[in-house]
Amino acid sequence: DAQSIAEPVAAAASAAAASVVAAAATARSRIATHLAPSAEQRAGTLGVAFVAGDRAPAPAARAVNKWVVLENSELYFLPNASAGATALEAKLGVVDVLEVSTPTELQAGRRHALLLRLSDQPRKSPSHHREEWLGLDGCTQIYLVAGSEQEQQEWQAVIGRVASALRMYRLLPPVRVGPSSVADYVRGEVLPAC
């Protein structure tokens, strides 16, 4: 009869729905736990040039050595390694770094340079607003000059990884996990996209 056929089909559909939701939740938690941008830390002496606009010729040639610290998803610029927090010259949230690239020596003015292109729009996160940046008024680019190609690549990787992770983390929708989400799915109620 029709009811005896419908019950196993409904049970199979419910089990399939539960496995889809569980797989999506597992994938989301794997992504979310993999993204721990605030755990990335790095510090070192780099040449630093703050640039307002795109037209400055050889901007990295004007870079001045500073102690640069990446901590808690923010870049801090200090005069040297022994300077205390009161000597902080500039800081910004890495979430506002749109791109990390390696310009040529001719473009930058020095070898082993990194170009950080910054957002000109304030971010919506309560902890990262352009208005909260310190010492970067009108700055649209930061040139960092490393001492070697290896150091350049390491800084590029870590800053790029943190900036990308922060942007991607903001794009992930919330996912409800638990019996209610499976029941909602089976009843046909819409769940957030995974």
Side-chain angles (χ1 to χ4, degrees), residues 72-97:
N72 295 324
S73 304
E74 294 193 328
L75 279 171
Y76 299 90
F77 301 91
L78 297 147
N80 54 52
S82 61
T86 57
L88 185 66
E89 294 178 353
K91 79 168 188 167
L92 75 133
V94 178
V95 71
D96 289 312
V97 175

Side-chain angles (χ1 to χ4, degrees), residues 54-80:
D54 292 335
R55 304 265 182 226
R62 297 188 313 262
V64 176
N65 282 348
K66 298 190 182 301
W67 184 250
V68 180
V69 178
L70 171 64
E71 183 176 279
N72 295 324
S73 304
E74 294 193 328
L75 279 171
Y76 299 90
F77 301 91
L78 297 147
N80 54 52

Side-chain angles (χ1 to χ4, degrees), residues 43-153:
T45 300
L46 297 171
V48 178
F50 301 109
V51 179
D54 292 335
R55 304 265 182 226
R62 297 188 313 262
V64 176
N65 282 348
K66 298 190 182 301
W67 184 250
V68 180
V69 178
L70 171 64
E71 183 176 279
N72 295 324
S73 304
E74 294 193 328
L75 279 171
Y76 299 90
F77 301 91
L78 297 147
N80 54 52
S82 61
T86 57
L88 185 66
E89 294 178 353
K91 79 168 188 167
L92 75 133
V94 178
V95 71
D96 289 312
V97 175
L98 299 178
E99 177 186 3
V100 183
S101 61
T102 54
T104 66
E105 184 177 353
L106 187 59
Q107 293 168 327
R110 291 200 30 205
R111 295 178 61 189
H112 313 306
L114 288 175
L115 169 58
L116 309 182
R117 291 192 192 277
L118 306 179
S119 171
D120 58 352
Q121 299 296 319
R123 294 295 178 167
K124 303 296 183 213
S125 167
S127 61
H128 295 99
H129 289 287
R130 185 170 173 103
E131 297 86 34
E132 294 175 3
W133 291 2
L134 173 68
L136 298 172
D137 295 330
C139 182
T140 58
Q141 302 174 351
I142 299 175
Y143 281 84
L144 302 177
V145 182
S148 68
E149 184 177 351
Q150 180 181 350
E151 185 181 23
Q152 174 194 34
Q153 291 170 352

Side-chain angles (χ1 to χ4, degrees), residues 6 34 125 183 186:
H34 177 70
S125 167
V186 171

